[in-house]
Amino acid sequence: MSREKILIRTSWVSTIGNAILSASKIIIGLFVGSLAVLGDGIDSATDVIISIVMIFTARIMNRPPSKKYVFGYEKAEGIATKILSLVIFYAGMQMLLSSVANIFSDATKEVPSAIAIYVTVFSIIGKLLLAHYQYKQGKRIDSSMLTANAINMRNDVIISSGVLVGLVFTFIFKLPILDSITGLIISLFIIKSSVSIFIDSNVELMDGVKDVNVYNKIFEAVEEVPGASNPHRVRSRMIGNLYMITLDIEVNPQITITQAHEIAESVEKSIKSSIDNVYDILVHVEPAGECQTNEKFGIDKDMVEKTINKP
């Protein structure tokens, strides 16, 4: 099954599952007067929006390269992940404001009905299943968008568990304000999660890599090629889940252009055999001894030893 189809299928499963959970919690939350359950339902509603965005994004990502976007549309996933983080942040802030307002409200508060506990338990089980499925599929196709949503849904499990604990204590101590306090704590957790996803999505959009050990693999791959030396000005960035790698190498200045080209091709093959999900590799060949030491972009082996491999 293609990456696009897995993305779309997983997103539809997430959409339907979260829609059922969200509707049940919002209806019960309003019916029994539980702010925590209602907030949990609103959080699940954002997951429905997220899943719809994912379906739309999956179709964009599958478009072939165009004159305007010669590298294709894979980075739409990073943009979508950024949007998802903002949606989650908005939901968290709305819940935070509602919880604070309810805590300081003079209105009479009542203990929610016991049905709020049942719907919360149902939500925890449903979210666990959805999060596990989403995370498994995300790792299968190396999708930051699916993985981020799976993490968000695992956070939802913690949120629903917090709601459950708050409801139990509300019933035990007969203090309705505990429901509002639980809602406040949950909102802070949602906001923290959104900020984490927002920062994580910056890596791809700023042409970085999440796993910096990829540079170690590049240098090791070059060392295995006879005739190739001093790999430097190495740059790697992500296009969706794929690596775009550019580097300079030095070769004997006395060899022919054909021989230098063959060495460059061997370097490409060596790197591709060492690193999965490579989009493209560009190897620039230089005569040995003419390396520039003041390059602005890229890294060399010494920089890797000083930073990436620093104990």
Side-chain angles (χ1 to χ4, degrees), residues 257-271:
I257 294 177
T258 300
Q259 291 172 318
H261 176 70
E262 290 174 350
I263 292 174
E265 283 192 329
S266 296
V267 168
E268 288 185 30
K269 292 177 181 178
S270 181
I271 293 174

PDB file of all heavy atoms in Angstrom, residues 257-271:
ATOM      1  N   ILE A 257      38.315  13.192 -15.466  1.00  0.00           N
ATOM      2  CA  ILE A 257      36.963  13.586 -15.075  1.00  0.00           C
ATOM      3  C   ILE A 257      36.082  12.346 -14.932  1.00  0.00           C
ATOM      4  O   ILE A 257      35.253  12.248 -14.007  1.00  0.00           O
ATOM      5  CB  ILE A 257      36.358  14.554 -16.109  1.00  0.00           C
ATOM      6  CG1 ILE A 257      37.120  15.877 -16.114  1.00  0.00           C
ATOM      7  CG2 ILE A 257      34.869  14.801 -15.803  1.00  0.00           C
ATOM      8  CD1 ILE A 257      36.647  16.857 -17.143  1.00  0.00           C
ATOM      9  N   THR A 258      36.274  11.398 -15.831  1.00  0.00           N
ATOM     10  CA  THR A 258      35.486  10.161 -15.770  1.00  0.00           C
ATOM     11  C   THR A 258      35.741   9.412 -14.472  1.00  0.00           C
ATOM     12  O   THR A 258      34.807   8.932 -13.823  1.00  0.00           O
ATOM     13  CB  THR A 258      35.820   9.247 -16.966  1.00  0.00           C
ATOM     14  OG1 THR A 258      35.524   9.939 -18.183  1.00  0.00           O
ATOM     15  CG2 THR A 258      34.998   7.961 -16.904  1.00  0.00           C
ATOM     16  N   GLN A 259      36.991   9.314 -14.063  1.00  0.00           N
ATOM     17  CA  GLN A 259      37.323   8.629 -12.817  1.00  0.00           C
ATOM     18  C   GLN A 259      36.748   9.364 -11.603  1.00  0.00           C
ATOM     19  O   GLN A 259      36.245   8.737 -10.663  1.00  0.00           O
ATOM     20  CB  GLN A 259      38.850   8.507 -12.687  1.00  0.00           C
ATOM     21  CG  GLN A 259      39.485   7.542 -13.684  1.00  0.00           C
ATOM     22  CD  GLN A 259      41.000   7.586 -13.650  1.00  0.00           C
ATOM     23  OE1 GLN A 259      41.604   8.662 -13.567  1.00  0.00           O
ATOM     24  NE2 GLN A 259      41.630   6.404 -13.711  1.00  0.00           N
ATOM     25  N   ALA A 260      36.830  10.705 -11.632  1.00  0.00           N
ATOM     26  CA  ALA A 260      36.261  11.503 -10.533  1.00  0.00           C
ATOM     27  C   ALA A 260      34.744  11.303 -10.452  1.00  0.00           C
ATOM     28  O   ALA A 260      34.168  11.204  -9.354  1.00  0.00           O
ATOM     29  CB  ALA A 260      36.592  12.981 -10.733  1.00  0.00           C
ATOM     30  N   HIS A 261      34.113  11.223 -11.616  1.00  0.00           N
ATOM     31  CA  HIS A 261      32.667  11.001 -11.660  1.00  0.00           C
ATOM     32  C   HIS A 261      32.308   9.633 -11.080  1.00  0.00           C
ATOM     33  O   HIS A 261      31.315   9.498 -10.346  1.00  0.00           O
ATOM     34  CB  HIS A 261      32.179  11.113 -13.101  1.00  0.00           C
ATOM     35  CG  HIS A 261      30.722  10.808 -13.270  1.00  0.00           C
ATOM     36  ND1 HIS A 261      29.720  11.636 -12.799  1.00  0.00           N
ATOM     37  CD2 HIS A 261      30.083   9.747 -13.862  1.00  0.00           C
ATOM     38  CE1 HIS A 261      28.552  11.110 -13.076  1.00  0.00           C
ATOM     39  NE2 HIS A 261      28.740   9.958 -13.722  1.00  0.00           N
ATOM     40  N   GLU A 262      33.112   8.637 -11.398  1.00  0.00           N
ATOM     41  CA  GLU A 262      32.859   7.286 -10.879  1.00  0.00           C
ATOM     42  C   GLU A 262      32.999   7.247  -9.352  1.00  0.00           C
ATOM     43  O   GLU A 262      32.237   6.563  -8.664  1.00  0.00           O
ATOM     44  CB  GLU A 262      33.820   6.297 -11.525  1.00  0.00           C
ATOM     45  CG  GLU A 262      33.532   6.044 -13.004  1.00  0.00           C
ATOM     46  CD  GLU A 262      34.580   5.168 -13.671  1.00  0.00           C
ATOM     47  OE1 GLU A 262      35.638   4.926 -13.027  1.00  0.00           O
ATOM     48  OE2 GLU A 262      34.368   4.747 -14.829  1.00  0.00           O
ATOM     49  N   ILE A 263      33.966   7.999  -8.819  1.00  0.00           N
ATOM     50  CA  ILE A 263      34.140   8.067  -7.362  1.00  0.00           C
ATOM     51  C   ILE A 263      32.921   8.732  -6.716  1.00  0.00           C
ATOM     52  O   ILE A 263      32.412   8.282  -5.692  1.00  0.00           O
ATOM     53  CB  ILE A 263      35.432   8.839  -7.006  1.00  0.00           C
ATOM     54  CG1 ILE A 263      36.654   8.031  -7.432  1.00  0.00           C
ATOM     55  CG2 ILE A 263      35.481   9.148  -5.504  1.00  0.00           C
ATOM     56  CD1 ILE A 263      37.982   8.770  -7.262  1.00  0.00           C
ATOM     57  N   ALA A 264      32.454   9.811  -7.354  1.00  0.00           N
ATOM     58  CA  ALA A 264      31.277  10.512  -6.834  1.00  0.00           C
ATOM     59  C   ALA A 264      30.057   9.595  -6.825  1.00  0.00           C
ATOM     60  O   ALA A 264      29.266   9.591  -5.859  1.00  0.00           O
ATOM     61  CB  ALA A 264      30.991  11.758  -7.666  1.00  0.00           C
ATOM     62  N   GLU A 265      29.888   8.811  -7.876  1.00  0.00           N
ATOM     63  CA  GLU A 265      28.767   7.866  -7.934  1.00  0.00           C
ATOM     64  C   GLU A 265      28.898   6.790  -6.858  1.00  0.00           C
ATOM     65  O   GLU A 265      27.894   6.377  -6.246  1.00  0.00           O
ATOM     66  CB  GLU A 265      28.702   7.212  -9.320  1.00  0.00           C
ATOM     67  CG  GLU A 265      28.117   8.104 -10.400  1.00  0.00           C
ATOM     68  CD  GLU A 265      27.819   7.321 -11.671  1.00  0.00           C
ATOM     69  OE1 GLU A 265      28.548   6.340 -11.957  1.00  0.00           O
ATOM     70  OE2 GLU A 265      26.859   7.676 -12.372  1.00  0.00           O
ATOM     71  N   SER A 266      30.112   6.352  -6.598  1.00  0.00           N
ATOM     72  CA  SER A 266      30.347   5.350  -5.554  1.00  0.00           C
ATOM     73  C   SER A 266      30.005   5.922  -4.177  1.00  0.00           C
ATOM     74  O   SER A 266      29.479   5.212  -3.313  1.00  0.00           O
ATOM     75  CB  SER A 266      31.807   4.890  -5.579  1.00  0.00           C
ATOM     76  OG  SER A 266      32.117   4.239  -6.798  1.00  0.00           O
ATOM     77  N   VAL A 267      30.318   7.212  -3.989  1.00  0.00           N
ATOM     78  CA  VAL A 267      29.968   7.875  -2.723  1.00  0.00           C
ATOM     79  C   VAL A 267      28.449   7.909  -2.555  1.00  0.00           C
ATOM     80  O   VAL A 267      27.921   7.637  -1.470  1.00  0.00           O
ATOM     81  CB  VAL A 267      30.552   9.307  -2.678  1.00  0.00           C
ATOM     82  CG1 VAL A 267      29.941  10.093  -1.521  1.00  0.00           C
ATOM     83  CG2 VAL A 267      32.065   9.257  -2.542  1.00  0.00           C
ATOM     84  N   GLU A 268      27.728   8.236  -3.618  1.00  0.00           N
ATOM     85  CA  GLU A 268      26.257   8.263  -3.565  1.00  0.00           C
ATOM     86  C   GLU A 268      25.709   6.889  -3.176  1.00  0.00           C
ATOM     87  O   GLU A 268      24.836   6.779  -2.300  1.00  0.00           O
ATOM     88  CB  GLU A 268      25.687   8.679  -4.924  1.00  0.00           C
ATOM     89  CG  GLU A 268      25.886  10.139  -5.272  1.00  0.00           C
ATOM     90  CD  GLU A 268      25.201  10.501  -6.575  1.00  0.00           C
ATOM     91  OE1 GLU A 268      24.169   9.871  -6.904  1.00  0.00           O
ATOM     92  OE2 GLU A 268      25.684  11.417  -7.272  1.00  0.00           O
ATOM     93  N   LYS A 269      26.205   5.855  -3.824  1.00  0.00           N
ATOM     94  CA  LYS A 269      25.721   4.500  -3.545  1.00  0.00           C
ATOM     95  C   LYS A 269      26.041   4.082  -2.112  1.00  0.00           C
ATOM     96  O   LYS A 269      25.230   3.443  -1.445  1.00  0.00           O
ATOM     97  CB  LYS A 269      26.340   3.506  -4.540  1.00  0.00           C
ATOM     98  CG  LYS A 269      25.855   3.687  -5.979  1.00  0.00           C
ATOM     99  CD  LYS A 269      26.561   2.712  -6.919  1.00  0.00           C
ATOM    100  CE  LYS A 269      26.105   2.913  -8.361  1.00  0.00           C
ATOM    101  NZ  LYS A 269      26.823   2.006  -9.306  1.00  0.00           N
ATOM    102  N   SER A 270      27.211   4.462  -1.633  1.00  0.00           N
ATOM    103  CA  SER A 270      27.613   4.109  -0.278  1.00  0.00           C
ATOM    104  C   SER A 270      26.715   4.786   0.754  1.00  0.00           C
ATOM    105  O   SER A 270      26.307   4.167   1.745  1.00  0.00           O
ATOM    106  CB  SER A 270      29.073   4.515  -0.040  1.00  0.00           C
ATOM    107  OG  SER A 270      29.487   4.156   1.266  1.00  0.00           O
ATOM    108  N   ILE A 271      26.396   6.052   0.511  1.00  0.00           N
ATOM    109  CA  ILE A 271      25.521   6.788   1.437  1.00  0.00           C
ATOM    110  C   ILE A 271      24.115   6.202   1.421  1.00  0.00           C
ATOM    111  O   ILE A 271      23.490   6.004   2.480  1.00  0.00           O
ATOM    112  CB  ILE A 271      25.491   8.291   1.083  1.00  0.00           C
ATOM    113  CG1 ILE A 271      26.853   8.924   1.327  1.00  0.00           C
ATOM    114  CG2 ILE A 271      24.419   9.014   1.906  1.00  0.00           C
ATOM    115  CD1 ILE A 271      26.970  10.372   0.883  1.00  0.00           C
TER     116      ILE A 271
END
